[in-house]
């Protein structure tokens, strides 16, 4: 992604599924929330795939195996093979295998997805800090209990190298936002000190794993989180689409620092099938569709009418330009209300 795209949203004259060969899709908050598909996701992805776009699903959730994730997607109506699913468990297993002897024991605090990924790398998962592990790794597991977290803390206190599949503090579920693996990693850090090596988004090991497994030549990262999906795309030097179906709010998007600024923003995955309108400079402001936005002092203002998303795109350009290399601290409440967001 070039610097201009990071600073202000740019347009795309072709539908995104035609402009990019591979969609690197986050799952939670993009395709589904908990056990329910997000509105318009299945139909949009089916159309993109039928048009020749390769769909790859890239998730920081290390609890389930690629086979299990592919099975869920297939039930939703998205026929998917395990080879089309890339997890942070796979990325962290590769990272560990590059730093410990072949066949080494690894204290694994996580679900089946993490255990399978470790075994695929020739590593032996163990359950106790007293099993002489060469490394300790944490991955999300909804059934995790205090005893297993304590084993991780004991191992880290003894100086065992510490790894984490990802450090997402939250995870979207059908009933709301729940604690993610990062919250569990933080519990171990409080007890043992230090910090783990992290493999998942936005860190480079996840991008490397994705490229190795998909062979994407012109990928588009699609996600709902600024600090994982969008930052991961920035770190990998590729374009990104933020969808507003997960944790990121319009206000948070306007306040995003440069690494968290997507090339495109849309309400949901229907945005994958349409051209993205350009945001153009207009005097001391920016215009998109029927809206014109500008920054004056500590306040963002918008005039005009039209699609709310066009207003948001114009506001992003104004806010990010005013902020320069930092996050925007301007008051955007009235401007967002004006465009209906």
């Amino acid at each position: 992604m070039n610097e201009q795209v990071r600073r202000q949203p740019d347009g795309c004259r072709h539908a995104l599924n035609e402009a990019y060969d591979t969609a690197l899709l986050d799952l939670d908050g993009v395709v589904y929330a908990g056990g329910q598909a997000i509105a318009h996701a299945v139909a949009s992805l089916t159309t993109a795939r039928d048009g020749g776009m390769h769909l790859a699903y890239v998730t920081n959730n290390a609890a389930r195996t690629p086979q299990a994730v592919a099975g869920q997607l297939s039930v939703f109506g998205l026929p998917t093979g395990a080879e089309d699913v890339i997890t942070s468990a796979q990325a962290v297993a590769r990272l560990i295998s590059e730093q410990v002897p072949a066949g080494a024991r690894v204290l694994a605090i996580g679900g089946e997805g993490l255990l399978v990924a470790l075994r695929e790398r020739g590593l032996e998962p163990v359950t106790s800090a007293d099993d002489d592990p060469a490394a300790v790794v944490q991955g999300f597991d909804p059934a995790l209990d205090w005893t297993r977290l304590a084993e991780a803390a004991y191992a880290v206190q003894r100086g065992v190298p510490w790894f984490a599949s990802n450090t997402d503090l939250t995870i979207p579920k059908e009933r709301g936002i729940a604690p993610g693996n990062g919250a569990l990693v933080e519990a171990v850090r409080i007890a043992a000190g230090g910090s783990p090596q992290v493999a998942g988004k936005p860190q480079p090991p996840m991008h490397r794993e994705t490229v190795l497994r998909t062979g994407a030549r012109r990928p588009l990262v699609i996600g709902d989180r600024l600090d994982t999906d969008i930052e991961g795309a920035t770190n990998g030097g590729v374009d990104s689409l933020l969808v507003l179906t997960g944790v990121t709010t319009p206000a948070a998007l306007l306040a995003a620092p440069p690494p968290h600024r997507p090339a495109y923003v849309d309400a949901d995955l229907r945005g994958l099938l349409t051209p993205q309108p350009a945001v153009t400079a207009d005097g001391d402001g920016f215009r998109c569709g029927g809206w014109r936005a500008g920054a004056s002092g500590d306040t963002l203002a918008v005039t005009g009418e039209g699609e709310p998303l066009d207003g948001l795109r114009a506001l992003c350009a104004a806010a990010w330009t005013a902020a320069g290399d930092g996050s925007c601290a301007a008051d955007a409440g009235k401007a967002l209300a004006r465009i209906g967001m």
Side-chain angles (χ1 to χ4, degrees):
M1 189 190 308
N2 62 50
E3 289 298 326
Q4 180 181 0
V5 170
R6 290 182 196 166
R7 286 197 297 269
Q8 61 187 65
D10 203 355
C12 183
R13 289 179 294 177
H14 300 284
L16 296 182
N17 66 304
E18 298 172 353
Y20 298 88
D21 71 337
T22 304
L24 303 181
L25 293 134
D26 183 47
L27 288 172
D28 292 306
V30 175
V31 180
Y32 56 63
Q36 299 179 359
I38 288 173
H40 311 295
V42 173
S44 299
L45 293 175
T46 298
T47 300
R49 182 196 61 215
D50 291 347
M53 190 178 216
H54 178 206
L55 305 181
Y57 301 93
V58 185
T59 177
N60 263 359
N61 190 331
R64 296 187 297 161
T65 64
Q67 290 82 358
V69 174
Q72 180 180 4
L73 291 168
S74 297
V75 168
F76 287 153
L78 291 167
T80 305
E83 67 277 5
D84 295 321
V85 179
I86 301 93
T87 73
S88 61
Q90 294 170 321
V92 79
R94 186 188 298 270
L95 186 64
I96 295 170
S97 71
E98 294 169 344
Q99 299 182 40
V100 302
R105 295 178 176 180
V106 177
L107 175 56
I109 312 299
E112 184 66 16
L114 181 61
L115 303 181
V116 168
L118 291 170
R119 293 186 183 115
E120 286 178 347
R121 290 288 158 198
L123 302 170
E124 179 185 350
V126 296
T127 59
S128 172
D130 296 333
D131 289 330
D132 193 27
V136 56
V137 59
Q138 285 183 259
F140 182 71
D141 180 0
L144 196 64
D145 61 19
W146 178 90
T147 302
R148 295 170 71 194
L149 284 176
E151 291 297 327
Y154 301 149
V156 173
Q157 290 169 42
R158 296 173 187 177
V160 177
W162 183 20
F163 297 82
S165 63
N166 67 294
T167 51
D168 296 12
L169 291 174
T170 61
I171 184 170
K173 306 296 285 186
E174 56 266 42
R175 295 173 59 195
I177 303 298
N181 193 55
L184 305 176
V185 169
E186 186 67 9
V188 173
R189 187 197 66 77
I190 291 170
S195 59
Q197 294 185 53
V198 182
K201 298 178 286 187
Q203 302 303 322
M206 189 67 172
H207 181 73
R208 179 180 59 153
E209 192 73 21
T210 300
V211 170
L212 288 172
R213 290 179 179 269
T214 65
R217 304 182 72 177
R218 182 160 171 71
L220 176 69
V221 170
I222 305 174
D224 70 307
R225 302 184 69 106
L226 300 176
D227 60 349
T228 55
D229 305 316
I230 306 308
E231 185 177 345
T234 300
N235 290 342
V238 299
D239 288 349
S240 60
L241 165 66
L242 177 80
V243 290
L244 300 174
T245 49
V247 302
T248 298
T249 64
L253 177 61
L254 293 178
H260 294 177
R261 297 173 185 172
Y264 314 108
V265 59
D266 222 303
D268 52 55
L269 284 174
R270 287 177 294 181
L272 187 59
L273 307 177
T274 60
Q276 293 285 311
V279 179
T280 58
D282 183 12
D284 59 354
F286 294 89
R287 185 174 294 278
C288 184
W291 298 100
R292 184 186 184 282
S296 177
D298 294 331
T299 303
L300 289 173
V302 62
T303 57
E305 60 183 11
E307 292 294 328
L309 276 167
D310 287 343
L312 180 61
R313 294 171 181 125
L315 283 168
C316 283
W320 298 346
T321 300
D325 292 334
S327 60
C328 181
D331 180 7
K334 290 183 180 179
L336 287 172
R338 173 74 176 79
I339 64 173
M341 285 191 164

